[in-house]
């Protein structure tokens, strides 16, 4: 169990660093690549399977993904915000149910507060690039707190 928490904390820290470094560019690249792959799959459906309906649907979806990558980034932030808030609330419930000593309890509560704050920040992302850095830093802090917590247990 302790090893799982250590690995989870390290992965969280790495994800936070990646968010800070690559910002929205990485997400846009991923969406563009995904769109291109879906277009290729659509073409393959038409050429090899003679499935014109599914092929056209896949091509259209791929084009939409490429053309509207910026919009999809904003939608992804909203989804990320919802996920972080739900995860934070679940962690809060688990933390309050657990009978933890004072220091681990404080670390867990700070961790939960950071997660929920990050989720709320995702809804107010005027400058997506800045939000990636803010969320990245929050995720790094969350990972460090989780790492400290797993070492203390």
């Amino acid at each position: 169990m302790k090893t799982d928490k250590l690995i989870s904390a390290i992965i969280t820290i790495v994800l936070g660093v990646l968010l800070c470094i690559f910002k929205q560019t990485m997400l846009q690249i991923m969406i563009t690549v995904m769109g291109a792959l879906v277009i290729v799959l659509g073409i393959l459906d038409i050429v090899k399977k003679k499935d014109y309906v599914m092929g056209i649907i896949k091509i259209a979806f791929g084009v939409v993904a490429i053309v509207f990558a910026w919009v999809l980034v904003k939608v992804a932030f909203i989804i990320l915000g919802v996920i972080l808030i739900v995860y934070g609330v679940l962690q809060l419930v688990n933390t309050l149910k657990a009978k933890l000593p004072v220091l681990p309890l404080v670390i867990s509560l700070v961790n939960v507060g950071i997660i929920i704050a990050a989720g709320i920040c995702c809804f107010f992302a005027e400058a997506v690039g800045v939000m990636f850095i803010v969320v990245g830093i929050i995720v790094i802090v969350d990972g460090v707190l989780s790492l400290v917590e797993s070492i203390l247990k």
Side-chain angles (χ1 to χ4, degrees):
M1 186 74 158
K2 187 174 182 177
T3 306
D4 291 345
K5 288 191 176 215
L6 281 170
I7 292 170
S8 176
I10 292 168
I11 289 172
T12 302
I13 292 167
V14 169
L15 287 175
V17 170
L18 290 175
L19 279 171
C20 289
I21 293 171
F22 294 113
K23 301 182 212 90
Q24 75 264 23
T25 304
M26 191 62 178
L27 188 55
Q28 284 181 286
I29 290 170
M30 290 171 25
I31 291 171
T32 302
V33 168
M34 181 208 57
L37 289 174
V38 173
I39 289 171
V40 169
L41 291 173
I43 292 170
L44 289 175
D45 278 353
I46 292 171
V47 173
K48 288 194 171 196
K49 295 181 184 176
K50 305 293 185 210
D51 187 352
Y52 298 104
V53 174
M54 189 52 99
I56 291 171
I57 290 171
K58 287 180 181 178
I59 291 170
F61 180 77
V63 169
V64 167
I66 292 170
V67 172
F68 296 106
W70 280 103
V71 174
L72 294 174
V73 167
K74 290 180 182 180
V75 170
F77 250 106
I78 292 170
I79 293 169
L80 176 63
V82 170
I83 290 170
L84 286 172
I85 291 169
V86 169
Y87 177 72
V89 168
L90 292 173
Q91 288 296 100
L92 178 62
V93 169
N94 289 335
T95 298
L96 295 175
K97 283 182 182 177
K99 303 221 187 266
L100 298 173
V102 176
L103 184 58
L105 177 65
V106 170
I107 290 173
S108 291
L109 290 175
V110 169
N111 193 13
V112 165
I114 289 170
I115 292 169
I116 293 172
I120 292 169
C121 285
C122 288
F123 290 108
F124 302 104
E126 297 299 324
V128 176
V130 173
M131 283 309 301
F132 269 96
I133 293 171
V134 169
V135 171
I137 291 169
I138 290 172
V139 170
I140 291 168
V141 170
D142 176 49
V144 169
L145 288 172
S146 295
L147 187 63
V148 169
E149 183 181 15
S150 68
I151 291 171
L152 290 176
K153 285 187 175 180

